[in-house]
Amino acid sequence: MSNLLEPTLYVIKGIAILDNDGNRIVAKYYDPHCFSSVKEEKKFEKNLFQKTHRANAEITMLDKLTCVYRSNVDLFFYVMGSSHENELILLCVLTCLYDAVSLILRKNVEKKTLLENLDIILLAIDEICDGGVPLETDPQVIAQRVALRMEETPFNDQTVSQVLQTAREQLKWSLLK
Amino acid sequence: MIGSFKQLKKDEEEGGGNPYYSADKTSVLQEARVFNETPVNVKRSTHVLTKILYLLNQGEILATKEATDAFFAMTKLFQSNDLVLRRLVYLGIKELCNIAEDTIIVTSSLTKDMTGREDQYRAPAIRALCRITDATMMQSIERYMKQAIVDRTTGVSSAALVSCRHIMTQSPEVVKRWVSEVQEALSSDNVMVQFHALGVLHQIRKSDKLAVTKMITKLTTSGLRSPYAICFLIRVVAQLIEEDEASSDSRLFDFLESMLRHKAEMVIYEAANAIVTLKKSSSRELVSGISVLQLFLSSPKPTLRFAAVRTLGKVAMYQPSAVAACNLDLETLLQDVNRSIATLAITTLLKTGTEGSVDRLMKSISNFLNDISDEFKVFVVE
């Protein structure tokens, strides 16, 4: 009918974390019409990786999807939306994904630590997006909700506010880096 | 800890740094037997469940029987109160519920968690429960859903609202009865709750134009806090302006224009995009929309430049003269490190340029074309 954007909660088409060979570590696609099979998805991921792994340019278009991305050491983070979507909303989701992961991995954003904490990372992605709807975009809230493992958390008997304080400091550090 | 670390090290040598590399379907499903141990072996169960989720994520396809077996084994893990393990079980339920049979077996466990005292369980339990529940069963949990929508814990409220929205795709009727709760949630201070509530409310009212108009009148004057909700509202307003046959309501345009001065960039962009796309915008409104986008063209943020140039390219199709004011900024973008932005700038310039400048452009494109992908070439030729 027109070029106007449909008012919708379903903003996100996909979220992916790839390694530095372009292989999938985690990927979720929320629109069944987007890709017909896992094979298609992986083909898309390979192309996306080819296109983005050297250019650190934050945003690109591929197969009628707008993809915002970010990388660190050997990990590549992607958030996909339709080519008509408000790119700045997608970027907020990506920033949340990246910051939540670095909070969870305590700044060691690399493949090895990510895989060691894969359970928590899967939970975090589930907290960021529910079936294509952005559920939460505050990385500290995400980190809090996925409840880091007790045996590993140094702040066992701290109050919530103290935990938040620590999280905030960590975030500050990651920004200063 | 040390034991599992050694295990990781060993796997790593075989699988190029990936401890899950060696996981194969048959052996992992065998390992799932550990779920049946009493008391629950938290550490091993967590590891095996993560492996199952990893395999599903890699695209491994389970047969109905395999999925059902894994699902039933997983239900045993409800005996453990380990936070992470329980959350992984919710995730497993959601991943397997479309393949496995008789998944309603977990309804009572999930209802218990959703109404229980542990806040960390409630929100994800609601989301998992709504995934396995159909419209007829929804009535049995209706009371809890209504409470959850207006819950003071924002995560719970968001989870309930988003689940409502999913349910409405299949069966819109049930959720319509909860409209007063959804409305209450709309006044939440939390940015996400407000966004989700507006999404559900709009879905309920969508087919009733009078109700949509009323909703807009209220929201455009009272003001929403959440930038996500405002972006949503802008789209609803734009739709209403477009569909209105009669002379357009100037108050609606005033609202769009006022949003160009919002402090959040995502709102400013959304408003500018709506204004320049609407055919009913006056030339004055069009100019203010385009000048905002023009400012974005020189932003240090690639995403902002990308969004602006993409939208201007769209407008250039039917209003080339209005976009021509940005030609200088667009030409600067030809050197942009982000090739997507540079390409979009070229396509836009080709539409707005005069004969002389197009000639010049063609020359600069010729050495540029080798650089860009085929997909973009098609885009340029169009």
Side-chain angles (χ1 to χ4, degrees):
Chain A
M1 168 195 83
S2 73
N3 285 315
L4 287 176
L5 298 179
E6 183 72 22
T8 178
L9 292 181
Y10 297 96
V11 170
I12 307 170
K13 299 273 185 211
I15 291 180
I17 303 176
L18 307 181
D19 69 9
N20 56 352
D21 296 314
N23 292 320
R24 170 193 291 196
I25 300 177
V26 191
K28 293 283 290 175
Y29 294 90
Y30 301 102
D31 183 353
H33 306 295
C34 238
F35 298 101
S36 56
S37 64
V38 179
K39 212 176 138 203
E40 291 288 309
E41 289 172 9
K42 292 200 171 173
K43 203 174 119 203
F44 169 80
E45 284 158 24
K46 282 282 181 207
N47 287 340
L48 187 59
F49 180 75
Q50 277 305 319
K51 218 175 149 160
T52 54
H53 76 291
R54 266 177 302 138
N56 205 359
E58 194 174 281
I59 185 162
T60 190
M61 279 191 299
L62 185 66
D63 292 351
K64 296 200 174 109
L65 290 175
T66 299
C67 315
V68 287
Y69 62 98
R70 208 170 151 177
S71 63
N72 193 350
V73 195
D74 50 3
L75 288 175
F76 292 78
F77 298 80
Y78 299 89
V79 172
M80 281 74 78
S82 102
S83 56
H84 306 289
E85 195 41 71
N86 184 332
E87 291 87 347
L88 300 166
I89 299 182
L90 298 176
L91 189 65
C92 281
V93 178
L94 175 72
T95 310
C96 172
L97 171 71
Y98 185 87
D99 290 347
V101 169
S102 36
L103 277 174
I104 292 165
L105 303 182
R106 314 233 161 76
K107 291 173 276 168
N108 298 315
V109 183
E110 51 184 25
K111 186 177 170 184
K112 189 169 172 294
T113 41
L114 185 111
L115 285 167
E116 282 165 11
N117 294 281
L118 189 65
D119 44 359
I120 307 286
I121 300 294
L122 289 171
L123 293 179
I125 293 176
D126 179 57
E127 285 293 334
I128 292 170
C129 179
D130 184 313
V133 180
L135 194 61
E136 179 55 64
T137 51
D138 183 338
Q140 285 165 28
V141 174
I142 301 285
Q144 203 190 335
R145 279 188 192 160
V146 296
L148 301 177
R149 234 181 253 98
M150 281 323 207
E151 48 177 346
E152 284 174 15
T153 38
F155 30 71
N156 241 342
D157 24 355
Q158 287 176 348
T159 63
V160 174
S161 67
Q162 277 170 316
V163 175
L164 264 177
Q165 182 65 33
T166 324
R168 220 170 274 144
E169 262 158 34
Q170 285 193 357
L171 188 73
K172 229 184 275 169
W173 268 108
S174 66
L175 288 174
L176 285 172
K177 208 162 57 169
Chain B
M1 259 336 267
I2 291 174
S4 69
F5 190 70
K6 265 189 193 146
Q7 181 66 39
L8 283 178
K9 263 274 191 289
K10 201 178 131 246
D11 286 343
E12 202 174 291
E13 279 149 25
E14 293 158 7
N18 185 345
Y20 297 95
Y21 179 83
S22 53
D24 81 288
K25 186 170 84 171
T26 325
S27 66
V28 173
L29 290 177
Q30 288 276 325
E31 285 180 70
R33 270 192 237 149
V34 73
F35 297 168
N36 290 314
E37 280 177 25
T38 26
V40 175
N41 184 337
V42 173
K43 207 176 230 164
R44 277 210 60 205
S45 298
T46 306
H47 187 65
V48 173
L49 190 46
T50 311
K51 268 193 197 171
I52 293 178
L53 291 169
Y54 175 81
L55 282 178
L56 289 170
N57 198 271
Q58 289 296 318
E60 191 74 58
I61 292 163
L62 297 192
T64 312
K65 177 149 193 329
E66 289 170 327
T68 310
D69 287 350
F71 191 91
F72 273 74
M74 215 167 58
T75 59
K76 304 274 172 38
L77 300 176
F78 270 104
Q79 288 167 45
S80 159
N81 274 322
D82 183 80
L83 220 60
V84 172
L85 185 56
R86 179 70 61 91
R87 298 283 299 267
L88 287 172
V89 172
Y90 299 144
L91 210 53
I93 290 173
K94 287 196 282 186
E95 294 289 338
L96 290 174
C97 69
N98 293 326
I99 328 167
E101 288 172 332
D102 301 322
T103 51
I104 49 169
I105 190 113
V106 289
T107 306
S108 64
S109 304
L110 288 173
T111 316
K112 207 173 118 214
D113 283 353
M114 139 181 196
T115 53
R117 253 179 302 168
E118 180 60 79
D119 263 350
Q120 299 269 35
Y121 291 168
R122 286 162 68 214
I126 290 172
R127 296 200 280 135
L129 182 59
C130 290
R131 216 47 85 76
I132 60 160
T133 313
D134 59 16
T136 49
M137 301 243 315
M138 215 63 208
Q139 289 176 6
S140 61
I141 56 163
E142 177 158 8
R143 189 160 59 95
Y144 305 127
M145 282 304 284
K146 280 164 121 177
Q147 279 169 9
I149 291 170
V150 293
D151 199 280
R152 265 181 304 165
T153 312
T154 54
V156 172
S157 181
S158 271
L161 287 163
V162 172
S163 300
C164 282
R165 181 61 191 86
H166 295 327
I167 294 164
M168 289 190 81
T169 313
Q170 302 301 322
S171 43
E173 293 310 316
V174 202
V175 179
K176 280 188 180 160
R177 294 202 295 266
W178 309 341
V179 67
S180 57
E181 281 79 11
V182 176
Q183 249 166 338
E184 193 178 329
L186 187 60
S187 54
S188 164
D189 282 342
N190 181 276
V191 289
M192 296 320 281
V193 173
Q194 201 170 56
F195 172 54
H196 298 140
L198 182 58
V200 176
L201 192 64
H202 178 256
Q203 188 66 23
I204 295 175
R205 302 249 159 108
K206 213 166 103 175
S207 49
D208 179 355
K209 205 172 155 200
L210 191 69
V212 174
T213 315
K214 265 181 158 170
M215 181 178 92
I216 286 179
T217 315
K218 191 165 159 259
L219 293 176
T220 48
T221 46
S222 70
L224 293 163
R225 284 191 71 221
S226 160
Y228 301 97
I230 297 176
C231 287
F232 191 98
L233 183 64
I234 288 172
R235 293 183 194 185
V236 182
V237 168
Q239 235 176 27
L240 198 71
I241 295 176
E242 178 109 325
E243 281 165 15
D244 211 350
E245 301 287 318
S247 63
S248 52
D249 189 341
S250 68
R251 274 177 312 172
L252 292 180
F253 266 109
D254 288 348
F255 167 73
L256 292 183
E257 239 188 335
S258 71
M259 286 303 121
L260 292 176
R261 293 183 293 277
H262 195 274
K263 60 179 188 303
E265 279 165 347
M266 84 168 66
V267 174
I268 303 174
Y269 168 70
E270 189 77 47
N273 182 59
I275 288 175
V276 300
T277 312
L278 278 168
K279 294 191 179 63
K280 283 183 190 157
S281 299
S282 69
S283 54
R284 188 182 57 87
E285 285 147 359
L286 189 63
V287 166
S288 55
I290 285 181
S291 56
V292 164
L293 294 173
Q294 187 174 11
L295 278 178
F296 284 174
L297 288 180
S298 48
S299 159
K301 295 181 190 164
T303 301
L304 212 50
R305 295 199 299 274
F306 180 94
V309 71
R310 184 177 62 81
T311 304
L312 287 171
K314 212 169 59 182
V315 190
M317 305 251 252
Y318 46 88
Q319 295 272 19
S321 53
V323 179
C326 309
N327 276 0
L328 268 180
D329 300 86
L330 287 168
E331 280 190 37
T332 333
L333 289 185
L334 297 182
Q335 314 300 325
D336 204 294
V337 282
N338 184 320
R339 300 321 263 164
S340 310
I341 295 175
T343 315
L344 284 167
I346 285 188
T347 55
T348 312
L349 281 167
L350 285 175
K351 287 169 201 143
T352 63
T354 56
E355 233 173 274
S357 65
V358 169
D359 266 354
R360 196 155 46 81
L361 270 176
M362 291 313 280
K363 282 196 193 89
S364 67
I365 294 173
S366 53
N367 46 30
F368 183 89
L369 270 180
N370 307 324
D371 260 16
I372 58 179
S373 68
D374 290 338
E375 190 191 349
F376 271 121
K377 280 180 197 165
V378 178
F379 211 83
V380 174
V381 172
E382 272 176 13

